[in-house]
Amino acid sequence: MEFVISQWPRFLDGAWLTIQLTLGGIVLSFVLAMFFGILGTVGHWLPRAVATVYVEVFRGIAALVVMYWFIYALPLATGFQLDDMFAAILALGLNLGAYGAEVVRSSINAVPKAQIEATVSLNMSWLQRTRLVVLPQAWAQMLPTFGNLVVELMKATAVVYLVGLHDLSWVADDLRRLSGDTIPVFLVAFALYYLVAQVLIFCVRLLERRANHKLGRTPPSGGGLIGLLRPPTVGTKVGMAK
């Protein structure tokens, strides 16, 4: 146990790399999810086809395989070598972005048609309609699922040790080999992964509360910090976006 305590700096370095991979993957997957999700709701068949191809390709391929391709196959095919960390973020973002795009598309399609028809009667442009009416309501609906995807992305970073990145999983396994203290080492890794996941969940719930408040929905039962420590319940009062 003393050996494990003495290795705290290595644990923290591994956890920091895991956080960097998670944040990079979140940003990329969010951009891709919003772009292809909205593209999948456009009336013309061509944008919808492009969105469908992206979703089906990257949703059907494991993130680790995409990572291997970027790091090992791409240099052989093109002579261009990506930085290992950038390649890992790119693979994670492409994979989770495909799942997120379906969340965005289904959330947009769930907005009541009557409200969209009302915006048409008010002579709103597609951009105005999407920005002022559709996305605020879809955003509140997609956030709970986005929260799950964010945690899944964080856990998916554990495979990057297979391409040589010294993340939290790599550090824990290396210390296990050096010390033989399997249980203490993986208890620390367990606790750090859990802590990062809870911070991510807390941030998503803050966004959920803000999104529901802007729509005039009844706030979750129990205000303040305690209310954010449990999943919010959405009330029945729904208003237009402010």
Side-chain angles (χ1 to χ4, degrees):
M1 191 63 186
E2 292 180 2
F3 174 81
V4 173
I5 294 174
S6 69
Q7 296 300 312
W8 259 110
R10 292 194 63 191
F11 277 115
L12 294 179
D13 287 343
W16 174 236
L17 183 61
T18 294
I19 291 170
Q20 289 178 287
L21 289 166
T22 301
L23 294 178
I26 287 172
V27 171
L28 178 58
S29 61
F30 176 76
V31 171
L32 292 172
M34 294 301 293
F35 178 76
F36 285 103
I38 294 173
L39 207 64
T41 65
V42 174
H44 196 277
W45 68 270
L46 184 57
R48 293 202 312 272
V50 171
T52 299
V53 169
Y54 164 71
V55 168
E56 295 305 325
V57 167
F58 286 101
R59 193 169 58 171
I61 303 175
L64 180 60
V65 174
V66 179
M67 216 174 292
Y68 279 150
W69 198 90
F70 282 142
I71 294 174
Y72 300 122
L74 185 64
L76 295 176
T78 66
F80 184 71
Q81 179 72 57
L82 294 175
D83 176 76
D84 287 353
M85 183 148 177
F86 177 76
I89 290 173
L90 190 58
L92 292 168
L94 286 168
N95 183 261
L96 269 294
Y99 288 96
E102 281 296 278
V103 175
V104 173
R105 184 189 63 80
S106 61
S107 298
I108 290 175
N109 287 336
V111 174
K113 299 297 182 185
Q115 295 194 23
I116 297 175
E117 291 169 0
T119 62
V120 174
S121 67
L122 291 172
N123 202 28
M124 284 186 175
S125 66
W126 178 86
L127 184 59
Q128 290 175 317
R129 180 166 66 244
T130 303
R131 182 173 64 87
L132 297 175
V133 177
V134 176
L135 278 183
Q137 295 181 71
W139 175 244
Q141 181 163 325
M142 67 181 74
L143 272 172
T145 308
F146 268 165
N148 292 335
L149 292 179
V150 163
V151 174
E152 287 300 317
L153 189 149
M154 186 274 295
K155 293 189 290 185
T157 63
V159 303
V160 301
Y161 82 94
L162 293 171
V163 295
L165 292 176
H166 295 184
D167 71 319
L168 182 56
S169 293
W170 186 92
V171 169
D173 192 51
D174 188 53
L175 293 177
R176 176 194 62 80
R177 289 194 302 266
L178 290 174
S179 67
D181 293 334
T182 301
I183 293 177
V185 164
F186 283 109
L187 276 176
V188 173
F190 174 94
L192 289 173
Y193 272 117
Y194 182 78
L195 179 62
V196 174
Q198 292 308 304
V199 171
L200 292 172
I201 292 168
F202 184 83
C203 291
V204 171
R205 287 181 181 162
L206 279 174
L207 291 174
E208 285 183 58
R209 172 170 291 189
R210 178 176 174 81
N212 286 321
H213 175 73
K214 288 180 74 67
L215 289 174
R217 292 177 175 170
T218 305
S221 57
L225 180 62
I226 299 300
L228 289 169
L229 296 178
R230 55 177 176 266
T233 56
V234 177
T236 57
K237 180 184 176 183
V238 180
M240 296 292 288
K242 296 180 180 179

